[in-house]
Amino acid sequence: MMILGLVKWMQPVHGYDVRRELLSWNADKWANVQPGSIYHALRKLTEEGLLRAVATEQVGGRPARTTYEVTPKGEDEFDGLLRGHWWQVEDTADPFAAAFSFLPAMPREEAAAALRNRAIQLRARVDWMRASLDSNWLRETKPVHVGWMFELWSARAEAEVAWCERIAERIEAGVSYLPAGLERAEGWSGWQERLPDRPFDAK
């Protein structure tokens, strides 16, 4: 959606300018758009009929530059993606959530320390975003809604800081990882024995 939207906004536009704009937004950090994939994405969108190449020019010994614009089909696709993301809450991949699902594999002391370290890193991000919100740089060089995005990211980070500290305290206090009502002495093997048979385990 990002590349399609930028072409729609800047058209007619070279791929180089799309890449430069995305880099200025740091989109690789929050929109899953990698700089090295932009030219490939432009070609793919063109093959799918969402963009069209309107000109190709070459100056001196520099690589040829293709100018793109959005097709009517691309307009419809962008509008659908835009409104879909506005109106729907979607799950996003979170590597930390994947790692946290294996919490019992971590020694308690290390798990608690890692969570507190995560809180420190997140708090540093919050401090940077708050400083940015108070800066002339943001007020004078960015649209107002960019500041609102910073507020969103800051709120999310602050919530995770509180969660990290809360869970670290529980881990340090020795709260059992086992389901409620299960004797701790039984351990993980006892828990697994109580689980219902799974179809793919049957022989």
Side-chain angles (χ1 to χ4, degrees), residues 95-126:
F96 174 69
F100 189 78
S101 68
F102 292 97
L103 171 62
M106 293 279 284
R108 281 182 177 269
E109 183 177 350
E110 183 181 358
L115 285 171
R116 295 195 184 283
N117 180 67
R118 186 177 183 85
I120 290 171
Q121 294 181 54
L122 288 167
R123 194 175 290 110
R125 290 187 184 182
V126 171

Side-chain angles (χ1 to χ4, degrees), residues 23-144:
L23 287 173
S24 74
W25 292 12
N26 292 320
D28 56 315
K29 295 181 174 61
W30 53 270
N32 196 29
V33 178
Q34 300 305 314
S37 68
I38 291 171
Y39 293 106
H40 172 74
L42 288 168
R43 289 192 294 270
K44 188 171 186 298
L45 290 170
T46 302
E47 291 171 0
E48 294 174 352
L50 304 177
L51 298 179
R52 61 170 161 257
V54 295
T56 299
E57 58 186 12
Q58 186 169 10
V59 178
R62 297 179 180 179
R65 286 188 177 184
T66 300
T67 301
Y68 297 92
E69 64 182 19
V70 177
T71 64
K73 180 181 177 181
E75 295 269 3
D76 292 341
E77 178 72 9
F78 174 74
D79 288 344
L81 291 170
L82 177 67
R83 284 171 172 78
H85 292 312
W86 265 88
W87 286 93
Q88 298 174 16
V89 176
E90 301 174 354
D91 293 327
T92 57
D94 183 352
F96 174 69
F100 189 78
S101 68
F102 292 97
L103 171 62
M106 293 279 284
R108 281 182 177 269
E109 183 177 350
E110 183 181 358
L115 285 171
R116 295 195 184 283
N117 180 67
R118 186 177 183 85
I120 290 171
Q121 294 181 54
L122 288 167
R123 194 175 290 110
R125 290 187 184 182
V126 171
D127 291 343
W128 177 80
M129 285 185 281
R130 285 178 175 171
S132 296
L133 286 168
D134 292 335
S135 69
N136 290 332
W137 165 75
L138 194 62
R139 286 194 296 267
E140 297 176 0
T141 67
K142 303 296 180 184
V144 171

Side-chain angles (χ1 to χ4, degrees), residues 10 72 88-89 124 141 151 156 185 197:
M10 302 171 69
Q88 298 174 16
V89 176
T141 67
E151 291 180 15
R156 288 175 174 173
D197 291 335

